Each structure stands twice: as structure tokens, then as C-alpha cells.
């Protein structure tokens, strides 16, 4: 976990590898022109101009943060001032210059890098939740969890981190999915909230540990089929904010 992975091996948790040549940025940068192209791609295609002004950075615990996709200088600053040791990207094998620049910044700052791909409009599987628990036990802390905007995938990963590693009650941890962080419950991303709502409906006193519940009683298909998103919320998250 202390070494950066080969860029060609970066794949989302539980997903097949991206087809060769499909993303174009799962590789080291080769020079100034290549680095400039990565910056242009990151700023204008991956909307990094928003994150220059606001990273959506929030502390989860003494040794963990959540955020949007960080820019290289933000990684350097977190490593130098906060002692950041690991980054976990929740974006999967994304094809933007952000990835190549992030890998480069992590290498320069001595920060470990891990990809754990999640989806913002689909529930994690029981296997993915178990894999997240394993990840929390193995990564080097302090750690930063991030997706693109720091709202949805960062929200569910933060909630899982608080529940599984910090023993925070589900009723409290689920607040990591809230409008405060840019999460829109009324849109398609609200299906993430539905998982925690289903647990609390089944275990109002939280008697059964959440991890045990996900491995024995959790039915993501049933939860998804019962969930209905609002048209306005879906329009905001999918069209206006253009969430991944």
C-alpha cells in the first residue's frame, strides 16, 4: 500500500479493467507539453476550475478527510501541512488529465494512491462494502477520500468509513450524504441514502452491526426498485451540475 501502482493496473473495485487506450491518461506524463495537455484537460473537461475555488474539503476524523478531486498543488499542501499519507480515489478508471497529474503529485509528495471505484447512482454490492472494510484496515493514515465533486461517492465512502472504522452510529454517519456537501437526496443519487434508510427501518435500534446486515439481509436490488427520484433533483444533479 506504500507504493504507487502501475497506472495500467488502475481499475475500480469490483469492475473489469478499462480497455487499453480508452482513457488515455492512465500513464505517467512524458514532458512539459504532455503535462500542459493534462492541465488543460483537467481544468476545462474535468471542470477543475470549480475545485480551484472550492475543494469541498472536510475532516471526518483525526486521520481522515473527504473532498472533491484535488489538484496537484492541493495534494502537495495536504501532504506538507496535514501529513497526508494516502489518497483513495472513488472515481474508478476515469479518463481525464486529473488522474495523471494526481499520480505525479502523489509520487512527488510520498503519498500512497489507491482506486476504489464506486457509483453515484447505484448501490454498492455487499462484496464492495466488505472490500471497503478491508481497505479501511489496510491503508496508511492520514487518508483523503475523494470523487469528482466530493458530494455523492465521497459521501457514501465517508459514511462507511465512520460506521465500519470509527464505530459511529448509522443514524449519524448517514449525514455524510447531505446538501451540506452538495449531495442531492431528491435526485438519482438519493438511492445511496436509501441503503441506510433500509438498514434503519430493519434495525431501528441498530442492534445488528451494519457490516453483518449488509452480508446477511441487504438486498440492493429491492432497495433500488423501491426508490424513486424526483425530476427536479435529477435535473439538478445530472444536467445542471453534471455529476459523474
Amino acid at each position: 500500500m506504500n507504493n504507487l501502482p502501475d497506472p495500467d493496473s488502475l481499475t475500480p473495485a469490483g469492475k473489469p479493467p478499462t480497455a487499453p487506450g480508452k482513457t488515455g491518461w492512465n500513464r505517467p506524463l512524458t514532458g512539459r507539453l504532455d503535462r500542459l495537455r493534462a492541465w488543460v484537460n483537467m481544468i476545462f473537461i474535468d471542470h477543475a476550475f470549480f475545485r480551484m475555488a472550492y475543494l469541498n474539503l472536510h475532516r471526518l476524523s483525526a486521520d481522515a478527510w473527504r473532498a472533491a478531486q484535488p489538484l496537484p498543488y492541493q495534494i502537495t499542501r495536504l501532504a506538507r501541512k496535514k501529513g497526508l499519507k494516502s489518497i483513495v480515489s472513488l472515481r474508478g478508471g476515469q479518463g481525464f488529465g486529473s488522474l495523471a497529474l494526481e499520480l505525479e503529485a502523489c509520487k512527488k509528495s510520498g503519498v500512497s494512491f489507491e482506486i476504489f471505484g464506486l457509483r453515484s447512482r447505484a448501490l454498492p454490492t455487499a462484496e464492495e462494502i466488505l472490500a471497503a472494510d478491508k481497505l479501511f484496515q489496510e491503508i496508511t493514515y492520514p487518508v483523503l477520500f475523494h470523487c469528482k465533486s466530493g458530494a455523492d461517492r465521497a459521501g457514501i465512502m465517508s459514511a462507511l468509513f465512520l460506521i465500519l472504522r470509527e464505530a459511529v452510529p448509522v443514524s449519524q454517519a448517514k449525514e455524510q450524504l447531505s446538501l451540506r456537501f452538495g449531495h442531492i437526496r431528491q435526485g438519482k443519487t438519493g438511492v445511496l441514502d436509501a441503503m441506510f434508510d433500509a438498514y434503519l427501518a430493519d434495525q431501528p435500534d441498530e442492534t445488528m452491526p451494519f457490516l453483518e446486515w449488509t452480508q446477511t439481509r441487504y438486498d440492493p436490488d429491492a432497495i433500488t426498485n423501491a426508490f424513486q427520484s424526483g425530476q427536479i433533483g435529477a435535473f439538478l444533479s445530472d444536467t445542471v451540475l453534471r455529476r459523474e
Side-chain angles (χ1 to χ4, degrees):
M1 296 289 296
N2 294 323
N3 296 318
L4 289 176
D6 180 344
D8 291 334
S9 71
L10 299 180
T11 58
K15 291 186 177 181
T18 304
K22 185 176 181 180
T23 64
W25 292 110
N26 288 1
R27 57 176 176 76
L29 298 173
T30 57
R32 291 183 179 179
L33 181 59
D34 197 30
R35 190 167 294 104
L36 177 61
R37 289 179 58 247
W39 271 91
V40 170
N41 181 276
M42 176 179 67
I43 292 172
F44 296 106
I45 306 302
D46 198 30
H47 312 120
F49 50 86
F50 290 119
R51 303 189 292 273
M52 287 180 172
Y54 182 62
L55 185 58
N56 204 7
L57 177 67
H58 302 274
R59 184 181 286 274
L60 293 171
S61 70
D63 53 8
W65 295 270
R66 57 175 289 176
Q69 170 78 53
L71 279 73
Y73 67 85
Q74 292 167 332
I75 294 172
T76 302
R77 183 188 305 155
L78 286 168
R80 185 177 68 251
K81 294 187 175 182
K82 303 294 185 180
L84 182 70
K85 296 297 183 184
S86 300
I87 286 180
V88 176
S89 173
L90 309 171
R91 300 186 69 182
Q94 50 93 357
F96 299 102
S98 310
L99 176 59
L101 290 165
E102 183 173 20
L103 283 167
E104 185 177 72
C106 284
K107 184 175 182 180
K108 289 180 178 179
S109 299
V111 174
S112 297
F113 182 82
E114 182 86 10
I115 281 186
F116 191 93
L118 291 175
R119 298 160 298 280
S120 63
R121 296 166 181 78
L123 292 174
T125 65
E127 292 76 16
E128 287 171 334
I129 294 172
L130 198 62
D133 182 57
K134 185 173 185 290
L135 176 71
F136 300 147
Q137 297 176 38
E138 295 179 348
I139 52 178
T140 304
Y141 293 90
V143 63
L144 171 70
F145 302 107
H146 80 78
C147 53
K148 179 181 178 180
S149 61
D152 306 312
R153 289 166 294 180
I156 192 168
M157 191 66 161
S158 297
L160 291 174
F161 170 81
L162 292 175
I163 295 165
L164 300 178
R165 185 177 187 269
E166 302 294 317
V168 173
V170 173
S171 56
Q172 179 180 337
K174 73 184 186 73
E175 294 304 315
Q176 292 296 319
L177 287 165
S178 72
L179 191 58
R180 173 193 175 194
F181 306 106
H183 173 72
I184 301 174
R185 181 186 176 98
Q186 294 77 17
K188 295 178 182 178
T189 52
V191 72
L192 303 178
D193 303 79
M195 176 180 70
F196 298 119
D197 292 344
Y199 168 79
L200 292 171
D202 187 53
Q203 300 289 320
D205 297 325
E206 303 196 32
T207 304
M208 179 181 289
F210 180 77
L211 184 61
E212 180 182 349
W213 180 83
T214 63
Q215 305 305 304
T216 58
R217 300 175 65 85
Y218 175 48
D219 188 343
D221 290 336
I223 295 171
T224 300
N225 291 335
F227 172 74
Q228 292 184 342
S229 66
Q231 292 184 351
I232 295 177
F235 174 76
L236 286 173
S237 61
D238 296 349
T239 305
V240 177
L241 299 175
R242 300 181 66 182
R243 294 281 169 75
E244 285 184 341

